[in-house]
mmCIF file of all heavy atoms in Angstrom:
data_model
loop_
_atom_site.group_PDB
_atom_site.id
_atom_site.type_symbol
_atom_site.label_atom_id
_atom_site.label_comp_id
_atom_site.label_asym_id
_atom_site.label_seq_id
_atom_site.Cartn_x
_atom_site.Cartn_y
_atom_site.Cartn_z
ATOM 1 N N SER Y 129 7.803 3.274 3.199
ATOM 2 C CA SER Y 129 7.526 4.651 3.600
ATOM 3 C C SER Y 129 8.771 5.531 3.588
ATOM 4 O O SER Y 129 8.671 6.754 3.524
ATOM 5 C CB SER Y 129 6.874 4.683 4.986
ATOM 6 O OG SER Y 129 7.600 3.907 5.917
ATOM 7 N N SER Y 130 9.956 4.947 3.654
ATOM 8 C CA SER Y 130 11.222 5.689 3.508
ATOM 9 C C SER Y 130 12.365 4.684 3.579
ATOM 10 O O SER Y 130 12.144 3.490 3.794
ATOM 11 C CB SER Y 130 11.383 6.744 4.615
ATOM 12 O OG SER Y 130 11.773 6.149 5.834
ATOM 13 N N VAL Y 131 13.590 5.161 3.452
ATOM 14 C CA VAL Y 131 14.745 4.264 3.627
ATOM 15 C C VAL Y 131 14.859 3.811 5.077
ATOM 16 O O VAL Y 131 15.578 2.859 5.385
ATOM 17 C CB VAL Y 131 16.065 4.948 3.200
ATOM 18 C CG1 VAL Y 131 16.095 5.202 1.705
ATOM 19 C CG2 VAL Y 131 16.303 6.233 3.978
ATOM 20 N N HIS Y 132 14.135 4.487 5.975
ATOM 21 C CA HIS Y 132 14.257 4.188 7.396
ATOM 22 C C HIS Y 132 13.203 3.220 7.920
ATOM 23 O O HIS Y 132 13.400 2.631 8.987
ATOM 24 C CB HIS Y 132 14.193 5.487 8.208
ATOM 25 C CG HIS Y 132 15.226 6.488 7.821
ATOM 26 N ND1 HIS Y 132 16.577 6.242 7.930
ATOM 27 C CD2 HIS Y 132 15.111 7.734 7.284
ATOM 28 C CE1 HIS Y 132 17.255 7.297 7.497
ATOM 29 N NE2 HIS Y 132 16.383 8.207 7.097
ATOM 30 N N GLU Y 133 12.089 3.056 7.203
ATOM 31 C CA GLU Y 133 11.029 2.200 7.717
ATOM 32 C C GLU Y 133 10.098 1.770 6.594
ATOM 33 O O GLU Y 133 10.083 2.374 5.512
ATOM 34 C CB GLU Y 133 10.223 2.938 8.795
ATOM 35 C CG GLU Y 133 9.547 4.190 8.257
ATOM 36 C CD GLU Y 133 8.906 5.035 9.348
ATOM 37 O OE1 GLU Y 133 9.334 4.913 10.511
ATOM 38 O OE2 GLU Y 133 8.000 5.815 9.025
ATOM 39 N N THR Y 134 9.334 0.721 6.859
ATOM 40 C CA THR Y 134 8.295 0.273 5.938
ATOM 41 C C THR Y 134 7.017 0.038 6.738
ATOM 42 O O THR Y 134 7.040 -0.050 7.970
ATOM 43 C CB THR Y 134 8.685 -1.023 5.209
ATOM 44 O OG1 THR Y 134 8.936 -2.044 6.191
ATOM 45 C CG2 THR Y 134 9.923 -0.816 4.346
ATOM 46 N N ILE Y 135 5.901 -0.080 6.015
ATOM 47 C CA ILE Y 135 4.601 -0.306 6.651
ATOM 48 C C ILE Y 135 4.003 -1.587 6.089
ATOM 49 O O ILE Y 135 3.989 -1.800 4.871
ATOM 50 C CB ILE Y 135 3.644 0.876 6.396
ATOM 51 C CG1 ILE Y 135 4.187 2.144 7.074
ATOM 52 C CG2 ILE Y 135 2.243 0.568 6.907
ATOM 53 C CD1 ILE Y 135 3.390 3.386 6.773
ATOM 54 N N ALA Y 136 3.526 -2.433 6.986
ATOM 55 C CA ALA Y 136 2.891 -3.697 6.597
ATOM 56 C C ALA Y 136 1.383 -3.597 6.816
ATOM 57 O O ALA Y 136 0.936 -3.128 7.869
ATOM 58 C CB ALA Y 136 3.463 -4.856 7.401
ATOM 59 N N ILE Y 137 0.610 -4.039 5.815
ATOM 60 C CA ILE Y 137 -0.852 -4.028 5.880
ATOM 61 C C ILE Y 137 -1.359 -5.372 5.366
ATOM 62 O O ILE Y 137 -0.905 -5.851 4.329
ATOM 63 C CB ILE Y 137 -1.445 -2.898 5.012
ATOM 64 C CG1 ILE Y 137 -0.814 -1.552 5.364
ATOM 65 C CG2 ILE Y 137 -2.956 -2.819 5.173
ATOM 66 C CD1 ILE Y 137 -1.297 -0.402 4.496
ATOM 67 N N PRO Y 138 -2.303 -6.010 6.062
ATOM 68 C CA PRO Y 138 -2.804 -7.310 5.597
ATOM 69 C C PRO Y 138 -3.487 -7.199 4.242
ATOM 70 O O PRO Y 138 -4.190 -6.213 3.967
ATOM 71 C CB PRO Y 138 -3.788 -7.732 6.688
ATOM 72 C CG PRO Y 138 -4.181 -6.459 7.357
ATOM 73 C CD PRO Y 138 -2.973 -5.572 7.300
ATOM 74 N N ALA Y 139 -3.284 -8.208 3.424
ATOM 75 C CA ALA Y 139 -3.849 -8.181 2.068
ATOM 76 C C ALA Y 139 -5.371 -8.129 2.098
ATOM 77 O O ALA Y 139 -6.001 -7.540 1.214
ATOM 78 C CB ALA Y 139 -3.370 -9.403 1.288
ATOM 79 N N GLU Y 140 -5.963 -8.705 3.119
ATOM 80 C CA GLU Y 140 -7.420 -8.754 3.181
ATOM 81 C C GLU Y 140 -8.046 -7.386 3.437
ATOM 82 O O GLU Y 140 -9.263 -7.233 3.362
ATOM 83 C CB GLU Y 140 -7.847 -9.724 4.277
ATOM 84 C CG GLU Y 140 -7.379 -9.327 5.663
ATOM 85 C CD GLU Y 140 -7.666 -10.407 6.712
ATOM 86 O OE1 GLU Y 140 -7.885 -11.566 6.308
ATOM 87 O OE2 GLU Y 140 -7.649 -10.076 7.901
ATOM 88 N N SER Y 141 -7.206 -6.376 3.734
ATOM 89 C CA SER Y 141 -7.738 -5.024 3.955
ATOM 90 C C SER Y 141 -8.154 -4.347 2.660
ATOM 91 O O SER Y 141 -8.786 -3.293 2.682
ATOM 92 C CB SER Y 141 -6.689 -4.160 4.667
ATOM 93 O OG SER Y 141 -6.393 -4.659 5.948
ATOM 94 N N PHE Y 142 -7.769 -4.935 1.516
ATOM 95 C CA PHE Y 142 -8.012 -4.279 0.237
ATOM 96 C C PHE Y 142 -8.702 -5.231 -0.734
ATOM 97 O O PHE Y 142 -8.390 -6.417 -0.778
ATOM 98 C CB PHE Y 142 -6.694 -3.821 -0.404
ATOM 99 C CG PHE Y 142 -5.876 -2.915 0.464
ATOM 100 C CD1 PHE Y 142 -4.891 -3.430 1.287
ATOM 101 C CD2 PHE Y 142 -6.105 -1.546 0.469
ATOM 102 C CE1 PHE Y 142 -4.135 -2.598 2.093
ATOM 103 C CE2 PHE Y 142 -5.352 -0.708 1.270
ATOM 104 C CZ PHE Y 142 -4.371 -1.226 2.088
ATOM 105 N N ASP Y 143 -9.601 -4.666 -1.519
ATOM 106 C CA ASP Y 143 -10.072 -5.430 -2.669
ATOM 107 C C ASP Y 143 -9.073 -5.191 -3.799
ATOM 108 O O ASP Y 143 -8.140 -4.399 -3.673
ATOM 109 C CB ASP Y 143 -11.501 -5.029 -3.076
ATOM 110 C CG ASP Y 143 -11.623 -3.550 -3.418
ATOM 111 O OD1 ASP Y 143 -10.644 -2.966 -3.934
ATOM 112 O OD2 ASP Y 143 -12.696 -2.962 -3.177
ATOM 113 N N GLN Y 144 -9.235 -5.870 -4.921
ATOM 114 C CA GLN Y 144 -8.249 -5.816 -5.994
ATOM 115 C C GLN Y 144 -8.079 -4.404 -6.544
ATOM 116 O O GLN Y 144 -6.973 -3.963 -6.855
ATOM 117 C CB GLN Y 144 -8.638 -6.766 -7.133
ATOM 118 C CG GLN Y 144 -7.547 -6.957 -8.172
ATOM 119 C CD GLN Y 144 -6.242 -7.472 -7.571
ATOM 120 O OE1 GLN Y 144 -6.233 -8.442 -6.830
ATOM 121 N NE2 GLN Y 144 -5.134 -6.796 -7.875
ATOM 122 N N CYS Y 145 -9.190 -3.673 -6.641
ATOM 123 C CA CYS Y 145 -9.122 -2.307 -7.175
ATOM 124 C C CYS Y 145 -8.288 -1.416 -6.260
ATOM 125 O O CYS Y 145 -7.435 -0.659 -6.726
ATOM 126 C CB CYS Y 145 -10.530 -1.745 -7.334
ATOM 127 S SG CYS Y 145 -10.571 -0.075 -8.009
ATOM 128 N N GLN Y 146 -8.519 -1.533 -4.955
ATOM 129 C CA GLN Y 146 -7.755 -0.735 -3.999
ATOM 130 C C GLN Y 146 -6.278 -1.130 -4.009
ATOM 131 O O GLN Y 146 -5.397 -0.272 -3.932
ATOM 132 C CB GLN Y 146 -8.336 -0.916 -2.595
ATOM 133 C CG GLN Y 146 -9.707 -0.309 -2.400
ATOM 134 C CD GLN Y 146 -10.294 -0.685 -1.057
ATOM 135 O OE1 GLN Y 146 -10.171 -1.824 -0.598
ATOM 136 N NE2 GLN Y 146 -10.949 0.266 -0.408
ATOM 137 N N ALA Y 147 -6.013 -2.420 -4.107
ATOM 138 C CA ALA Y 147 -4.628 -2.894 -4.129
ATOM 139 C C ALA Y 147 -3.871 -2.338 -5.323
ATOM 140 O O ALA Y 147 -2.687 -1.994 -5.220
ATOM 141 C CB ALA Y 147 -4.599 -4.421 -4.151
ATOM 142 N N ASN Y 148 -4.557 -2.221 -6.450
ATOM 143 C CA ASN Y 148 -3.907 -1.697 -7.642
ATOM 144 C C ASN Y 148 -3.531 -0.224 -7.499
ATOM 145 O O ASN Y 148 -2.674 0.274 -8.233
ATOM 146 C CB ASN Y 148 -4.826 -1.870 -8.855
ATOM 147 C CG ASN Y 148 -4.990 -3.325 -9.250
ATOM 148 O OD1 ASN Y 148 -4.154 -4.168 -8.922
ATOM 149 N ND2 ASN Y 148 -6.073 -3.637 -9.950
ATOM 150 N N ASN Y 149 -4.171 0.465 -6.561
ATOM 151 C CA ASN Y 149 -3.902 1.887 -6.364
ATOM 152 C C ASN Y 149 -2.815 2.154 -5.325
ATOM 153 O O ASN Y 149 -2.440 3.309 -5.112
ATOM 154 C CB ASN Y 149 -5.185 2.615 -5.938
ATOM 155 C CG ASN Y 149 -6.216 2.680 -7.050
ATOM 156 O OD1 ASN Y 149 -5.863 2.680 -8.230
ATOM 157 N ND2 ASN Y 149 -7.489 2.715 -6.682
ATOM 158 N N LEU Y 150 -2.323 1.106 -4.676
ATOM 159 C CA LEU Y 150 -1.352 1.312 -3.608
ATOM 160 C C LEU Y 150 -0.070 1.976 -4.098
ATOM 161 O O LEU Y 150 0.496 2.838 -3.430
ATOM 162 C CB LEU Y 150 -1.024 -0.030 -2.941
ATOM 163 C CG LEU Y 150 -2.084 -0.590 -2.001
ATOM 164 C CD1 LEU Y 150 -1.665 -1.956 -1.480
ATOM 165 C CD2 LEU Y 150 -2.357 0.366 -0.852
ATOM 166 N N LYS Y 151 0.401 1.572 -5.271
ATOM 167 C CA LYS Y 151 1.631 2.166 -5.794
ATOM 168 C C LYS Y 151 1.457 3.662 -6.039
ATOM 169 O O LYS Y 151 2.364 4.459 -5.752
ATOM 170 C CB LYS Y 151 2.053 1.468 -7.090
ATOM 171 C CG LYS Y 151 3.370 1.996 -7.652
ATOM 172 C CD LYS Y 151 3.851 1.176 -8.837
ATOM 173 C CE LYS Y 151 5.184 1.705 -9.342
ATOM 174 N NZ LYS Y 151 5.720 0.902 -10.465
ATOM 175 N N GLU Y 152 0.300 4.051 -6.536
ATOM 176 C CA GLU Y 152 0.022 5.474 -6.763
ATOM 177 C C GLU Y 152 0.016 6.235 -5.440
ATOM 178 O O GLU Y 152 0.542 7.356 -5.351
ATOM 179 C CB GLU Y 152 -1.324 5.630 -7.463
ATOM 180 C CG GLU Y 152 -1.687 7.079 -7.773
ATOM 181 C CD GLU Y 152 -3.043 7.194 -8.471
ATOM 182 O OE1 GLU Y 152 -3.584 6.156 -8.893
ATOM 183 O OE2 GLU Y 152 -3.539 8.331 -8.580
ATOM 184 N N ILE Y 153 -0.539 5.610 -4.405
ATOM 185 C CA ILE Y 153 -0.572 6.247 -3.088
ATOM 186 C C ILE Y 153 0.841 6.427 -2.540
ATOM 187 O O ILE Y 153 1.209 7.499 -2.040
ATOM 188 C CB ILE Y 153 -1.417 5.401 -2.111
ATOM 189 C CG1 ILE Y 153 -2.884 5.415 -2.552
ATOM 190 C CG2 ILE Y 153 -1.276 5.914 -0.682
ATOM 191 C CD1 ILE Y 153 -3.757 4.439 -1.790
ATOM 192 N N VAL Y 154 1.652 5.361 -2.644
ATOM 193 C CA VAL Y 154 3.035 5.435 -2.158
ATOM 194 C C VAL Y 154 3.813 6.515 -2.907
ATOM 195 O O VAL Y 154 4.560 7.303 -2.312
ATOM 196 C CB VAL Y 154 3.729 4.064 -2.307
ATOM 197 C CG1 VAL Y 154 5.238 4.189 -2.049
ATOM 198 C CG2 VAL Y 154 3.112 3.055 -1.350
ATOM 199 N N THR Y 155 3.634 6.587 -4.206
ATOM 200 C CA THR Y 155 4.340 7.575 -5.019
ATOM 201 C C THR Y 155 3.982 8.989 -4.597
ATOM 202 O O THR Y 155 4.857 9.858 -4.452
ATOM 203 C CB THR Y 155 4.007 7.375 -6.511
ATOM 204 O OG1 THR Y 155 4.393 6.059 -6.910
ATOM 205 C CG2 THR Y 155 4.741 8.392 -7.370
#
């Protein structure tokens, strides 16, 4: 989320399609 912090989310919260979109969301 920044140089100051990160966010952890369990893998089971996402299906494969949603997981593939995480980088786009972060960007």
Side-chain angles (χ1 to χ4, degrees):
S129 50
S130 77
V131 293
H132 303 299
E133 61 188 23
T134 59
I135 295 175
I137 307 177
E140 61 187 19
S141 297
F142 304 93
D143 58 32
Q144 190 57 50
C145 181
Q146 291 172 319
N148 291 338
N149 291 332
L150 285 177
K151 183 173 182 178
E152 181 180 349
I153 293 171
V154 170
T155 301

